[in-house]
Amino acid sequence: MTQQSTVLVIGASRGLGFALVEEWLGRGWLVIATARSNSTELDKLGTRFPGSLEVEMVDINESDTVRALRHRLGGRRLDVLFINAGIARAIEQSPVNASEQDFLDMMLTNAFSPVRAAETLGDLVPGGGAIAVMTSELGSIENATGFWQLYSSSKAALNMLMKGYAAKHEDDDHALLLVAPGWVRTEMGGGDATLSVGESIPLVVDMIEANRRKPGLRYLDRFNKPLPW
Ligand SMILES: NC(=O)c1ccc[n+]([C@@H]2O[C@H](COP(=O)([O-])OP(=O)(O)OC[C@H]3O[C@@H](n4cnc5c(N)ncnc54)[C@H](OP(=O)(O)O)[C@@H]3O)[C@@H](O)[C@H]2O)c1
């Protein structure tokens, strides 16, 4: 009998993270989903997929909550670790008029904390598994137009920090995936975004699946197409 595959999704209370959980549950996986507070939506999903969803409390900016999760998961094996949590602040602003705190909050939540979480949880992923982090098309320095300038900078910083992670962990045999999901209608993406969640997330999960046993760092869109750094 083959063992049920397991994914841990960090930041799954709503939006793309919630959709990742629903998609992997639909594909027969065991899903560990994290939220910052109790989520009735995740509870309802647990009722739809009995025995396949575990919910944990984690705030990626509070390292002790990530370390406590690592402790609780001791001895478990993750086929995929997906760090999705992120925020967007001061999206129309620049260093001229943005609040410094908004920029610092994005740098912490979107860049520093996800890579710290990968460092804390990555050893639960055996060789051949994948560590995926939700970045954005906007994290590409080469393609930058100035749109959402401060948020884009935090995703470019995330990409850079993952380059460092990859260099430090080159013997781990993990697929390290910086995932760009497209512009999607969520609370963050807003109503003008071009894609529904259903037009993005199933392709993202297909892309992860296609890359799982291929070690090394890649910055990819939902079609499995490499993006320029
Ligand atoms: N939507 C898009 O068009 C788009 C495009 C490219 C990339 N992305 C990226 O995709 C990811 C998800 O975005 P989304 O559109 O689904 O946004 P969203 O609807 O605003 O959801 C953000 C998620 O991140 C969680 N989160 C925020 N700060 C956290 C923290 N400190 N610790 C743990 N969880 C935290 C939120 O939890 P709470 O409910 O507790 O706040 C929520 O589950 C983000 O990394 C975003 O940058 C989105």
Side-chain angles (χ1 to χ4, degrees), residues 4-10 12 17-18 20-34 42 45 49 51-56 76 78 80:
Q4 190 180 20
S5 299
T6 303
V7 57
L8 166 60
V9 182
I10 305 281
F18 182 85
L20 285 168
V21 171
E22 193 170 22
E23 182 66 27
W24 261 304
L25 285 170
R27 296 183 188 208
W29 284 48
L30 178 68
V31 182
I32 306 165
T34 79
L42 282 173
L45 213 46
F49 295 93
S52 289
L53 177 62
E54 298 169 24
V55 180
E56 294 278 355
R76 302 280 294 271
L78 304 175
V80 177

Side-chain angles (χ1 to χ4, degrees), residues 3 12 14 21 25 30 32 45 56 58 60 63 98 108 114 127 137 143-144 148 152 156 163 181 188 194 219-220:
Q3 202 185 342
R14 55 194 165 88
V21 171
L25 285 170
L30 178 68
I32 306 165
L45 213 46
E56 294 278 355
V58 167
I60 50 163
S63 59
L108 180 64
E137 281 80 354
N143 285 345
W148 286 31
S152 301
K163 274 250 177 188
M188 182 189 295
T194 46
Y219 176 27
L220 297 167

Side-chain angles (χ1 to χ4, degrees), residues 60-61 83 103-119 131 133-135 139 141 152-170 176-178 217-219 229:
I60 50 163
N61 294 341
I83 302 166
F103 184 64
L104 293 174
D105 288 347
M106 279 191 292
M107 280 298 195
L108 180 64
T109 307
N110 295 351
F112 186 91
S113 295
V115 179
R116 181 174 58 189
E119 293 280 10
I131 299 176
V133 187
M134 196 67 102
T135 182
I141 291 176
S152 301
S153 306
S154 72
K155 293 296 190 178
L158 167 65
N159 292 357
M160 175 62 95
L161 284 167
M162 280 304 290
K163 274 250 177 188
Y165 180 95
K168 273 177 63 189
H169 294 270
E170 62 181 351
L176 298 175
L177 307 172
L178 283 159
L217 176 69
R218 293 179 289 288
Y219 176 27
W229 294 84

